[in-house]
Amino acid sequence: MINILFLSFLSVLFHLFIGKIFSKYFNINNNNFYDLSLISLIGLVSLSFFALLINFFLPLSPTINTIFFIIIIIFSILTNQKILKNFISKKNILFICIATVSVFLLIVLSNTYRPDAGLYHFPYINILNENKIIL
């Protein structure tokens, strides 16, 4: 349970962090919770596109994904020094806590189609992760 809570926290934090990097191209002001959720959604979509792009050249393994995430974080910190200073605010921390608890409760309390999802989707996801996408 603690593992799920910690991973929920990390995923919300990472999506928000990546979304803040790409939200400057959309001129989104982060003055309320709606904008923070939109920034997090932008981070999720941009990470999905990057993963798809990488999957054309390399198979997605945990090692490749970790290297990819570390490169994104280092590149964003080196290019924008003010991002960490602007990232820590009372509103951002409250949003991260609320989103983490929401994601945690959605995962823990979900019981719809749980036994069948692994049977139907896991083999195909496993094939995508082990092999690169061939055109």
Side-chain angles (χ1 to χ4, degrees):
M1 292 295 249
I2 298 296
N3 188 21
I4 296 173
L5 182 65
F6 181 69
L7 291 176
S8 299
F9 172 73
L10 284 181
S11 65
V12 167
L13 191 66
F14 195 71
H15 290 148
L16 189 63
F17 186 72
I18 298 300
K20 285 224 183 240
I21 295 167
F22 289 108
S23 66
K24 64 182 176 183
Y25 301 114
F26 296 108
N27 293 329
I28 296 175
N29 226 354
N30 58 352
N31 54 1
N32 56 18
F33 288 130
Y34 173 76
D35 290 339
L36 286 173
S37 62
L38 189 61
I39 288 170
S40 183
L41 182 66
I42 288 171
L44 178 69
V45 170
S46 62
L47 281 175
S48 300
F49 279 125
F50 280 135
L52 179 66
L53 184 68
I54 286 174
N55 203 2
F56 278 113
F57 303 107
L58 298 168
L60 293 178
S61 66
T63 307
I64 302 262
N65 292 340
T66 304
I67 291 171
F68 172 65
F69 289 151
I70 290 172
I71 287 172
I72 286 178
I73 289 173
I74 290 173
F75 178 74
S76 63
I77 290 174
L78 291 177
T79 57
N80 192 359
Q81 300 288 330
K82 298 182 294 184
I83 196 162
L84 288 178
K85 188 183 292 182
N86 295 335
F87 190 72
I88 300 172
S89 71
K90 194 178 217 181
K91 191 167 287 194
N92 285 348
I93 293 172
L94 183 63
F95 175 78
I96 290 169
C97 291
I98 290 172
T100 299
V101 170
S102 300
V103 169
F104 174 73
L105 289 177
L106 283 172
I107 291 172
V108 169
L109 298 178
S110 172
N111 60 2
T112 307
Y113 304 116
R114 187 183 307 162
D116 294 341
L119 296 174
Y120 295 128
H121 302 293
F122 182 70
Y124 299 108
I125 292 172
N126 199 16
I127 290 170
L128 277 177
N129 288 341
E130 289 177 354
N131 303 314
K132 65 179 185 171
I133 297 176
I134 300 171
L135 293 177

